[in-house]
Amino acid sequence: MEEKVTKYRQLYIATRDAILMAPLTATQLTTFKTQLTALNLVSLNGLAQKLGQAYLDLVSANLTYASHQLIFVLNLNHDHSTIPLPISVEQLRVWEKAQAPEYALFTRNPFLYNGLSIDEIAAKALL
């Protein structure tokens, strides 16, 4: 499962890191959308499918609001539903300057549960 989900995770990280640097250019947006379309054609099942879909939702949100320089994390709910939540790059910079633990968490972990940043292992358990 890990190998199949890696491409999804890598695309999310690539979009997130690019947005952190600067608003996406038209070329970057086109490239990322092409990669996203290709991933939509990859067949996954079971837990890999759920985790892959979570990353696809995050990438889609990142690309939809790229001009606003927002990155998204995915809130996992008790009922197994998900909601993409935006974080502004400006907020991340404030956390970075204040050496707040939120900066490291939200730039490393794309998932939330009960308002707390969680890693992929915890997200798998909740999905």
Side-chain angles (χ1 to χ4, degrees), residues 30-75:
T30 300
T31 300
F32 287 139
K33 284 183 179 181
T34 301
Q35 292 171 345
L36 180 63
T37 300
L39 283 179
N40 277 321
L41 301 175
V42 174
S43 177
L44 298 174
N45 50 26
L47 186 55
Q49 191 277 329
K50 290 180 181 181
L51 193 56
Q53 187 61 53
Y55 279 117
L56 286 177
D57 292 345
L58 287 169
V59 171
S60 293
N62 280 352
L63 297 180
T64 301
Y65 298 97
S67 63
H68 300 290
Q69 229 176 336
L70 296 172
I71 62 166
F72 283 78
V73 293
L74 199 63
N75 188 64

Side-chain angles (χ1 to χ4, degrees), residues 8 13 23 27 33 39 53 55 69 78 86 99 105 109 113 115:
Y8 292 82
I13 291 168
T27 302
K33 284 183 179 181
L39 283 179
Q53 187 61 53
Y55 279 117
Q69 229 176 336
H78 294 284
Q99 298 180 349
L105 291 172
N109 298 329
Y113 183 71

